[in-house]
Amino acid sequence: MADAFLARLPSLGLGVIVFCSFYGGSILVSRLILRATATHRRNVGVVFARLVGAAVVLLGFLVSFSIVAPSFQAADLIKVLGIGSVAIGFAFQNILQNFLAGLLLLWTEPFRVGDQIRLDNFEGTVEEIETRATTIKTYDGKRVVIPNADLFTHSVTINTAFEARRWDCQLAVKTTLRDLDSLKARIVDAIRKAEGVLPDPAPEALVVDLGDADSDVIKVHISWWTRPRQHQMLATYDQVLTAIGKTL
């Protein structure tokens, strides 16, 4: 047995060298693909880099195994894979589902790294999109790992999909009916001057409730547009309320 092992030692060493060469080549090819797609469709580059890298590693394994075991035939491996593929499919159904969903998300790019998204009760900034799961950082500093199948099969709100978002809120203001036009004009002017409010579309102030007959408190619905990121919207909200408070 020792003689047989020593006889196979050169082919074993050559097989290891060949596999390491293929593995190094897969890393190099993946980096080249990522570099070529760094400024355009980065997620697609990630998909191709991982698929090509995995294909090169698999090819290297087959070549190395054929060197170590010359009697090995590719047809034998195909038979084994054909028999075991059904069992593997059932055993790893969720993993395969998340993997395929991850590839589709990376390919279609409904959102990218850095976007702020919301799925059910989870909301935050996308940190990483992998083939199995997507990682987001919530606004209070928590990390949430979401399976890609959930992102692919459920409705996802992408808060930063566009360059502007609208913010709405209601004010209860004490005034008389004769001063409504003046009141709305002052509110709109205060909103327009607040830091962070975009000039187009213009802010609005709409009366939605005149209150009771014995009360002079009315409700005004106000809205404005600002940048879509969470901290920008909150900062603008603070500026708007401060400006309205000083005006009224």
Side-chain angles (χ1 to χ4, degrees), residues 8-163:
R8 286 184 175 272
L9 194 57
S11 60
L12 180 62
L14 180 60
V16 172
I17 293 174
V18 170
F19 179 78
C20 291
S21 299
F22 273 89
Y23 183 76
S26 69
I27 296 176
L28 178 61
V29 171
S30 298
R31 289 181 178 177
L32 290 175
I33 294 175
L34 291 175
R35 184 178 301 176
T37 58
T39 57
H40 182 66
R41 293 186 66 83
R42 181 178 179 274
N43 288 345
V44 176
V46 172
V47 173
F48 277 111
R50 290 175 179 174
L51 290 179
V52 172
V56 173
V57 171
L58 178 60
L59 179 61
F61 172 77
L62 294 176
V63 173
S64 302
F65 198 77
S66 64
I67 294 175
V68 176
S71 60
F72 168 76
Q73 299 292 331
D76 298 334
L77 179 62
I78 294 175
K79 291 179 181 178
V80 174
L81 292 177
I83 295 173
S85 59
V86 177
I88 293 174
F90 280 109
F92 298 96
Q93 181 178 2
N94 291 334
I95 295 177
L96 293 175
Q97 185 179 10
N98 286 319
F99 177 77
L100 293 176
L103 292 181
L104 291 173
L105 288 174
L106 289 169
W107 178 263
T108 57
E109 290 189 321
F111 53 83
R112 301 181 180 182
V113 173
D115 277 333
Q116 294 182 342
I117 65 173
R118 177 169 59 85
L119 173 67
D120 297 332
N121 296 326
F122 303 115
E123 184 173 358
T125 304
V126 177
E127 285 193 322
E128 189 174 7
I129 305 173
E130 298 180 336
T131 51
R132 188 193 69 83
T134 295
T135 303
I136 68 172
K137 182 179 180 181
T138 62
Y139 302 135
D140 56 352
K142 298 177 183 177
R143 175 172 293 176
V144 180
V145 180
I146 304 175
N148 285 329
D150 292 343
L151 291 169
F152 191 75
T153 57
H154 293 77
S155 297
V156 179
T157 302
I158 306 171
N159 294 328
T160 53
F162 303 104
E163 294 184 356

